[in-house]
Amino acid sequence: MLGWVVTFLVIALIAGILGFGGIAGASIEIAKIIFFIAVVLFLVSAVVSLARGRNRI
């Protein structure tokens, strides 16, 4: 998922350098949304794994 964030950031950088401000802004917004979704999914996963505890064999 973070690979998508990097992809959209690269697209935004290239579009910004070439003067395509609208595309650069849209790519940055998409990258931000995907990044925050990844952070939320990570936090949910961490909480669930802590709530389960470790199984000892």
Side-chain angles (χ1 to χ4, degrees), residues 14-34:
I14 293 172
I17 290 171
L18 295 176
F20 298 107
I23 295 172
S27 294
I28 287 291
E29 292 301 318
I30 291 170
K32 277 196 248 182
I33 291 169
I34 294 173

Side-chain angles (χ1 to χ4, degrees), residues 1-39:
M1 188 171 272
L2 292 178
W4 284 96
V5 172
V6 173
T7 302
F8 279 109
L9 286 175
V10 169
I11 290 171
L13 287 173
I14 293 172
I17 290 171
L18 295 176
F20 298 107
I23 295 172
S27 294
I28 287 291
E29 292 301 318
I30 291 170
K32 277 196 248 182
I33 291 169
I34 294 173
F35 175 75
F36 287 120
I37 289 172
V39 168

Side-chain angles (χ1 to χ4, degrees), residues 42-52:
F42 169 75
L43 291 175
V44 168
S45 173
V47 169
V48 167
S49 67
L50 284 175
R52 265 190 202 173

